[in-house]
Amino acid sequence: MDIRDHNKRAWNRQVEQKNPWTVPVSADTIARARRDDWQIVLTPTKPVPRDWFPPLVGCRVLGLASGGGQQGPILAAAGAAVTILDNSPAQLAQDRLVAEREGFDMCLVEGDMRDLSPFADASFDFIVHPVSNIFVPDILPMWREAFRVLAPGGTLIAGMVNPLTYCFDLELQEKGVLTARYSLPYSDLESLTSEERERYLGLEEPVEWSHTLEEQIGGQLAAGFMLTGFYEDGWGRPSCRRGVVRPLCPLLFCDVRTKTGGSRHLKRPSTCRNPSAEATFRLHDVLARVY
């Protein structure tokens, strides 16, 4: 199976089905962001603390696997120079929709979150990574690439799923019964029977991996990041097939990481160095430059 192609088609389908993470923000949300009244979420319910963000006007932001017309457009309206990388063309189209509707610039790049070769070293001041690395089998290359493209003193914020979520029997969860069945780390391709794979993936559901906390948190530390903040969250709504577990424990985490060395809020021109990989929107009213 070509995992990247499968999950691309699966997330294009999620857009058609109006998964909550694919619905673009409203014009009112953008208008409030332009007045500095904004917030974003990387996990279902808790907004990211405002003190985790640098001054946004002119800040070079990478939305890493962050398509969907949500986080990126809000930050762009607040003054950031935003680039969104996502594997799903349909998810990127949601960002394009908001950019064209609201009249600001965004750089949209279709690509693999583990391969940031379109970007030069130190291209960004701030990286926003919602809960999305469960859709790739190996995440250590992603953390290393994120560290490379982040400027010294820059910041990464990332949402993650608690791997405990993946250990319970899926069919029994649907009946409200929690029975530990799967060993961790979990994989849709290796942990499910062929019948279960057909049931859950046959209609082009995204393929998922649980990843360990060593890969998530330890992987960030190994890449060179310094942990400076952390919080827990729950699903808040039954939007996934493992939602039954949500009342019992924190199922999602979010952390903030700083790349040590240098001035924190450097301003450099340029983000994408591979023009063929990007879709750029040169529209009017860039708001002091400007999911």
Side-chain angles (χ1 to χ4, degrees):
M1 173 186 286
D2 184 330
I3 298 302
R4 181 180 170 189
D5 181 68
H6 174 91
N7 278 353
K8 176 187 297 187
R9 290 184 284 106
W11 272 101
N12 288 345
R13 183 179 176 86
Q14 294 294 311
V15 174
E16 295 174 0
Q17 296 175 338
K18 300 188 186 309
N19 177 302
W21 294 103
T22 73
V23 179
V25 294
S26 67
D28 178 66
T29 297
I30 295 298
R32 286 189 283 108
R34 283 177 157 143
R35 299 192 299 269
D36 197 35
D37 176 15
W38 58 268
Q39 62 183 25
I40 67 169
V41 293
L42 302 186
T43 58
T45 68
K46 286 189 180 180
V48 179
R50 282 288 294 263
D51 61 5
W52 285 17
F53 294 86
L56 287 182
V57 174
C59 180
R60 299 167 306 158
V61 173
L62 172 63
L64 181 56
S66 182
Q70 298 183 6
Q71 298 95 357
I74 290 173
L75 298 177
V82 175
T83 297
I84 299 293
L85 180 137
D86 201 276
N87 188 42
S88 164
Q91 280 284 75
L92 291 171
Q94 303 298 69
D95 290 284
R96 179 186 301 116
L97 182 154
V98 181
E100 293 179 339
R101 185 189 73 201
E102 303 296 337
F104 52 63
D105 286 1
M106 293 179 68
C107 175
L108 305 181
V109 182
E110 180 182 338
D112 188 323
M113 69 182 82
R114 300 164 295 176
D115 177 11
L116 303 185
S117 58
F119 312 117
D121 295 356
S123 290
F124 301 98
D125 307 304
F126 194 72
I127 297 178
V128 174
H129 179 55
V131 176
S132 53
N133 64 37
I134 56 174
F135 304 112
V136 294
D138 50 338
I139 58 175
L140 298 183
M142 183 195 70
W143 298 132
R144 292 192 293 266
E145 278 287 87
F147 189 83
R148 178 184 66 80
V149 302
L150 195 63
T155 300
L156 161 75
I157 58 175
M160 298 162 283
V161 175
N162 185 341
L164 175 66
T165 306
Y166 287 88
C167 76
F168 297 103
D169 185 289
L170 298 176
E171 293 186 3
L172 292 178
Q173 276 196 60
E174 294 176 353
K175 301 175 183 178
V177 178
L178 294 180
T179 300
R181 174 184 172 187
Y182 304 108
S183 60
L184 300 178
Y186 169 93
S187 162
D188 277 340
L189 298 182
E190 298 177 2
S191 302
L192 299 178
T193 65
S194 58
E195 291 81 7
E196 288 171 328
R197 280 195 298 273
E198 177 63 25
R199 178 180 177 187
Y200 291 112
L201 308 178
L203 295 176
E204 294 194 336
E205 287 291 317
V207 176
E208 298 182 20
W209 288 262
S210 66
H211 302 307
T212 64
L213 292 180
E214 182 176 353
E215 292 173 304
Q216 294 282 22
I217 299 174
Q220 295 173 34
L221 294 171
F225 289 105
M226 178 177 64
L227 176 64
T228 57
F230 188 89
Y231 65 80
E232 298 173 333
D233 197 3
W235 286 112
R237 57 177 180 264
S239 60
C240 75
R241 66 183 194 245
R242 297 178 176 84
V244 177
V245 189
R246 69 185 188 278
L248 303 182
C249 63
L251 297 185
L252 300 105
F253 308 124
C254 189
D255 68 5
V256 57
R257 302 276 172 162
T258 300
K259 181 173 181 176
T260 57
S263 174
R264 175 163 183 167
H265 305 310
L266 299 176
K267 299 294 187 295
R268 295 186 179 90
S270 166
T271 49
C272 300
R273 69 181 181 190
N274 181 359
S276 65
E278 65 179 292
T280 315
F281 303 94
R282 296 296 172 194
L283 304 173
H284 62 282
D285 182 24
V286 191
L287 191 67
R289 182 323 168 190
V290 184
Y291 25 92

